[in-house]
């Protein structure tokens, strides 16, 4: 077990979004405010860690032929638990993430890590893999949120900081005056463009560091 | 991809092995279902409370002159018909002091908009509050969060104003015409329902 | 009549204005993964449409059962199991009954289980309170929207080979930028309403 390598892999060299290109749907769909990104990132990290540990623990007794089905049941179970807890204790987040919480079930990061890592490795290693890959995912979400929010609405920390509007949500701290931002970036278009540029930057950086 | 391999082998497998697989899978499902049942029991009261609070808050917002707890009313056939005639669905109705709060669902640009509309005893709108929506962030969401008082413009409108329609007697937020239309349809439906309730 | 207008509105929304790919971000993985050639894109699109339609119908019925039993919280688990077994079943059926169709679609089927558009449509049907017919129509037309998106995208990508762009953008980044521009175009449909 090599913690440092796992850490760097999760954050950089094997980053789930930027390098493995997994879990794109949620990455683009919910990254419109800081609060959403943080909530989604934490939810996925928790689910990924739990399912990694359980799958690693039961890997010896799971018949090989139905392992995918077993993985899906385990993952769906954890997702539902997190969903219920969010609805009960953080209803505002549950509402703004909507259908994308249950959709974590089919987030390829979780099934991908189950198949590629925890099914072949020990419990402790799988635990750290879950935590680091989750953090790597969360960091990308936050980067997306910050860029899209800042350039698209001119604010920072939407959903968490700043003045409260009539609907009771925080609007974020206005950094760029509201007549300048390119509203397009908070729309679906922005998700595609910003993620495209981030992956390109990552590819550029990786090719540079190899030289 | 591994799924693919799985199916092809499954076709000619030993029945004993198949039974073993089925039992394993079944047991897992039962365990997961049991755990979820437990979690559900813990969280259910909170979820119900959160939802009830949301409804109560929305009612309070749209019924400024509410006294005590509003009474939930049974939906009658006439009410349902009046709402669907206006292009929306009425899901809940509350009454307090002759004024009504109606929860209606109309379609917006991204699925449904669920809103609470208050109507006073004279049949005029006393407030509109959005309960649930999935409108586009940054555009339709402006309507949902009552930016520039776009929801407040409905206050005081009544059936006497005729059918409300965007561009005629309702102003839309630019770029969010569809969302504004959705809310307008909901208000029309609420007025129609209040009309048949007398 | 009203029912028909309603269904037409769902159709227009699902195919154009609220396209699953370009406005709801559902099913991005196969959209990016299987869109290098037009003919594979068509295969994937048809398979997804087929599964989405069937899954909408079955999960709607399953949900009725869950509500009756008071087990709404099992929704996600039940839906994903239904979808996984449905895909497996379709695969076995095609393999036995229609080998030609199987060779055409077979490779895409296993990928569909983890396609979030399928689970997404099942959950959205419930969230939007659609009745049985509306659900099936939403499922099929949502799939057609996916088909339209992936075929258009694949035909652009085939031509991208000849384009010149910075090396760092090779692969996914340029695909995402292209998809972003298409999303911008599809946004133009959002003002579309039939009445």
């Amino acid at each position: 077990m090599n913690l440092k390598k796992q850490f760097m892999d999760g954050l950089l060299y094997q980053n789930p979004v930027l390098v493995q290109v997994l879990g794109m749907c949620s990455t683009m769909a919910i990254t419109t405010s800081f609060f959403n990104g943080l909530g989604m990132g934490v939810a996925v990290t928790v689910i990924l860690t739990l399912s990694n540990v359980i799958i690693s623990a039961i890997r010896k007794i799971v018949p090989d032929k139905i392992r995918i089905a077993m993985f899906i049941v385990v993952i769906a179970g954890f997702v539902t638990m997190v969903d219920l807890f969010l609805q009960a204790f953080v209803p505002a987040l549950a509402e703004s993430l909507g259908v994308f919480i249950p959709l974590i079930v089919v987030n390829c990061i979780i099934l991908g890590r189950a198949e590629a890592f925890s099914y072949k490795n020990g419990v402790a290693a799988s635990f750290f893999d879950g935590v680091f890959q989750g953090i790597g995912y969360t960091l990308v979400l936050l980067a997306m949120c910050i860029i899209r929010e800042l350039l698209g609405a001119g604010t920072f920390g939407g959903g968490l900081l700043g003045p409260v509007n009539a609907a009771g949500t925080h609007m974020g701290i206005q950094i760029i005056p509201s007549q300048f931002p390119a509203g397009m970036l908070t729309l679906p278009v922005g998700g595609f463009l910003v993620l495209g540029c981030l992956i390109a930057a990552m590819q550029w950086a990786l090719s540079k560091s190899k030289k | 991809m591994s799924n693919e391999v799985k199916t092809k082998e499954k076709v000619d497998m030993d029945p004993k092995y198949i039974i073993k697989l089925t039992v394993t899978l079944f047991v897992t499902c039962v365990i997961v279902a049991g755990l979820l049942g437990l979690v559900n029991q813990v969280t259910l009261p909170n979820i119900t409370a959160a939802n009830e609070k949301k409804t109560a808050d929305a009612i309070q917002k749209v019924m400024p002159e509410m006294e005590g707890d509003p009474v939930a009313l049974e939906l009658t056939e006439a009410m349902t018909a009046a709402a669907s005639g206006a292009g929306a669905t009425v899901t809940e109705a509350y009454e307090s002091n002759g004024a009504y709060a109606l929860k209606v669902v109309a379609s917006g640009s991204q699925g449904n908009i669920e809103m609470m509309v208050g109507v006073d005893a004279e049949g005029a709108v006393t407030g509109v509050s959005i309960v649930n929506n999935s409108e586009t962030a940054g555009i339709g969401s402006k309507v949902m969060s009552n930016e520039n008082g776009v929801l407040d413009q409905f206050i005081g409108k009544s059936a006497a104003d005729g059918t409300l329609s965007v561009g005629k007697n309702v102003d839309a937020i630019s770029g969010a015409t569809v969302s504004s239309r959705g809310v307008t349809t909901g208000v029309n439906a609420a007025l129609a329902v209040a009309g048949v309730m007398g | 009549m009203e029912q028909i207008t309603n269904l037409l509105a769902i159709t227009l929304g699902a195919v154009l204005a609220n396209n699953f790919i370009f406005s709801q971000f559902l099913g991005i993985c196969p959209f990016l993964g299987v869109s290098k050639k037009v003919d594979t894109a068509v295969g994937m699109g048809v398979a997804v449409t087929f599964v989405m339609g069937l899954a909408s119908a079955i999960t709607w019925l399953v949900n009725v059962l869950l509500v009756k039993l008071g087990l709404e919280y099992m929704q996600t688990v039940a839906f994903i199991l239904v979808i996984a077994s449905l895909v497996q079943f379709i695969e076995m059926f095609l393999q036995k009954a229609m080998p030609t169709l199987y060779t055409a679609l077979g490779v895409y089927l296993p990928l569909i289980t983890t396609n979030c558009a399928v689970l997404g449509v099942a959950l959205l049907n419930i969230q939007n309170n659609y009745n049985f017919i509306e659900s099936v129509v939403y499922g099929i037309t949502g799939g057609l929207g996916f088909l339209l998106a992936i075929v258009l995208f694949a035909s652009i990508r085939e031509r991208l080979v000849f384009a010149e762009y910075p090396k760092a953008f090779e692969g996914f980044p340029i695909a995402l930028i292209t998809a972003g521009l298409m999303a911008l175009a599809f946004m133009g449909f959002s003002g579309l309403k039939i009445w």
Side-chain angles (χ1 to χ4, degrees):
Chain A
M1 192 163 87
N2 187 340
L3 267 187
K4 191 164 173 248
K5 184 178 170 297
Q6 275 190 309
F7 181 73
M8 291 309 285
D9 274 355
L11 262 57
L12 280 175
Y13 304 119
Q14 287 297 317
N15 185 290
V17 184
L18 297 183
V19 180
Q20 303 178 49
V21 204
L22 296 173
M24 314 284 278
C25 301
S26 55
T27 310
M28 290 191 273
I30 54 92
T31 50
T32 46
S33 83
F34 194 79
F35 184 51
N36 279 357
L38 192 64
M40 188 71 174
V42 172
V44 168
T45 309
V46 169
I47 294 167
L48 180 58
T49 312
L50 289 173
S51 72
N52 258 4
V53 168
I54 295 295
I55 285 166
S56 166
I58 61 170
R59 72 183 190 281
K60 300 237 168 74
I61 52 167
V62 171
D64 197 46
K65 296 218 161 66
I66 52 161
R67 64 176 192 285
I68 303 276
M70 296 278 282
F71 294 168
I72 290 181
V73 175
V74 170
I75 296 168
F78 282 126
V79 169
T80 312
M81 282 181 204
V82 169
D83 191 9
L84 289 174
F85 274 114
L86 284 180
Q87 281 182 36
F89 302 111
V90 207
L93 185 65
E95 199 177 305
S96 81
L97 294 179
V99 76
F100 283 94
I101 298 177
L103 282 179
I104 297 176
V105 178
V106 284
N107 187 320
C108 335
I109 295 178
I110 298 179
L111 198 57
R113 291 322 287 178
E115 176 79 359
F117 196 91
S118 50
Y119 192 61
K120 296 175 189 131
N121 288 281
V123 175
S126 303
F127 172 80
F128 286 110
D129 182 72
V131 174
F132 295 147
Q133 292 280 332
I135 294 175
Y137 173 76
T138 311
L139 287 181
V140 176
L141 284 191
L142 290 181
M144 294 270 299
C145 292
I146 291 172
I147 297 175
R148 287 179 72 183
E149 228 195 295
L150 186 67
L151 298 181
T155 56
F156 175 77
L160 265 188
L161 310 164
V164 179
N165 71 1
T169 44
H170 293 272
M171 302 287 286
I173 300 164
Q174 199 79 33
I175 291 176
I176 302 174
S178 58
Q179 66 266 40
F180 297 121
M184 180 183 98
L185 284 180
T186 56
L187 300 181
V189 195
F192 285 105
L193 295 185
V194 173
L195 187 59
C197 293
L198 277 182
I199 297 179
M202 189 71 187
Q203 290 189 354
W204 179 78
L206 282 183
S207 73
K208 223 160 179 213
S209 73
K210 259 178 212 148
K211 272 174 200 162
Chain B
M1 269 146 266
S2 36
N3 271 6
E4 197 185 352
V5 179
K6 196 168 76 186
T7 354
K8 272 172 197 150
E9 286 168 4
K10 210 184 241 173
V11 181
D12 39 35
M13 258 194 305
D14 167 33
K16 250 190 196 157
Y17 190 61
I18 294 183
I19 291 171
K20 192 189 156 206
L21 293 188
T22 325
V23 171
T24 327
L25 204 53
F26 183 72
V27 171
T28 325
C29 288
V30 170
I31 294 174
V32 169
L35 285 176
L36 285 182
L38 275 180
V39 174
N40 186 54
Q41 281 201 336
V42 177
T43 52
L44 191 63
N46 276 299
I47 297 176
T48 334
N51 286 339
E52 276 168 6
K53 185 174 175 300
K54 217 160 104 183
T55 311
D57 283 353
I59 295 177
Q60 189 150 32
K61 247 188 233 166
V62 300
M63 271 218 245
E65 283 163 32
M66 181 176 77
E67 275 171 34
D69 282 336
V71 189
L73 300 176
E74 289 271 332
L75 294 178
T76 63
E77 206 138 294
M79 287 156 71
T80 332
S84 64
T89 325
V90 57
T91 53
E92 284 162 40
Y94 301 88
E95 194 249 314
S96 170
N97 257 355
Y100 300 110
L102 301 157
K103 196 189 255 183
V104 284
V105 182
S107 60
S109 76
Q110 311 270 321
N112 287 332
I113 305 174
E114 205 179 332
M115 66 200 108
M116 189 69 80
V117 182
V119 183
D120 66 13
E122 278 80 52
V125 175
T126 51
V128 179
S129 167
I130 308 296
V131 184
N132 267 321
N133 78 87
S134 42
E135 298 305 285
T136 320
I139 304 181
S141 65
K142 285 185 183 169
V143 180
M144 303 301 122
S145 61
N146 193 17
E147 203 157 290
N148 302 336
V150 65
L151 293 181
D152 294 336
Q153 65 174 322
F154 292 103
I155 295 176
K157 301 260 197 234
S158 67
D161 293 309
T163 309
L164 303 174
S165 103
V166 172
K168 219 168 70 196
N169 41 14
V170 174
D171 296 322
I173 278 202
S174 64
T177 322
V178 182
S179 307
S180 311
R181 262 188 224 158
V183 177
T184 312
T185 311
V187 174
N188 277 330
L191 284 174
V193 174
V196 296
M197 288 163 84
Chain C
M1 187 57 214
E2 201 178 301
Q3 181 69 11
I4 295 173
T5 358
N6 189 16
L7 291 182
L8 260 172
I10 292 180
T11 308
L12 269 184
V15 177
L16 298 174
N18 295 336
N19 189 290
F20 267 75
I21 298 287
F22 293 127
S23 105
Q24 316 216 36
F25 291 116
L26 294 173
I28 302 284
C29 295
F31 175 71
L32 291 172
V34 203
S35 56
K36 292 204 176 91
K37 284 216 179 87
V38 173
D39 43 353
T40 51
V42 173
M44 186 69 185
V46 171
V48 167
T49 311
F50 188 60
V51 175
M52 273 173 80
L54 260 180
S56 292
I58 296 178
T59 52
W60 192 88
L61 294 172
V62 168
N63 190 57
V64 172
L65 191 72
L66 286 179
V67 171
K68 273 227 174 89
L69 297 173
L71 289 172
E72 284 100 331
Y73 60 89
M74 288 294 287
Q75 213 182 51
T76 316
V77 181
F79 282 9
I80 189 73
L81 278 178
V82 165
I83 292 169
S85 23
L86 178 70
V87 170
Q88 203 93 110
F89 194 74
I90 295 175
E91 198 179 333
M92 290 200 276
F93 173 77
L94 285 184
Q95 206 176 1
K96 283 249 163 76
M98 295 178 228
T100 32
L101 196 60
Y102 177 75
T103 32
L105 295 185
V107 284
Y108 308 112
L109 282 170
L111 288 172
I112 291 177
T113 311
T114 51
N115 181 340
C116 44
V118 181
L119 184 59
V121 81
L123 293 167
L124 285 173
N125 281 333
I126 308 301
Q127 205 180 60
N128 287 344
N129 277 324
Y130 283 157
N131 63 28
F132 184 72
I133 297 172
E134 286 170 337
S135 296
V136 175
V137 169
Y138 191 55
I140 295 175
T141 53
L144 289 177
F146 178 86
L147 175 68
L148 177 71
I150 197 170
V151 170
L152 287 176
F153 186 56
S155 20
I156 296 181
R157 267 186 104 172
E158 279 188 349
R159 282 162 188 73
L160 264 181
V161 182
F162 306 108
E164 274 184 45
Y165 43 82
K167 200 166 176 307
F169 277 86
E170 214 166 275
F172 281 108
I174 192 69
L176 282 170
I177 305 277
T178 315
L181 296 177
M182 290 176 73
L184 195 59
F186 268 73
M187 235 178 73
F189 291 116
S190 68
L192 199 65
K193 269 231 156 166
I194 43 169
W195 59 83

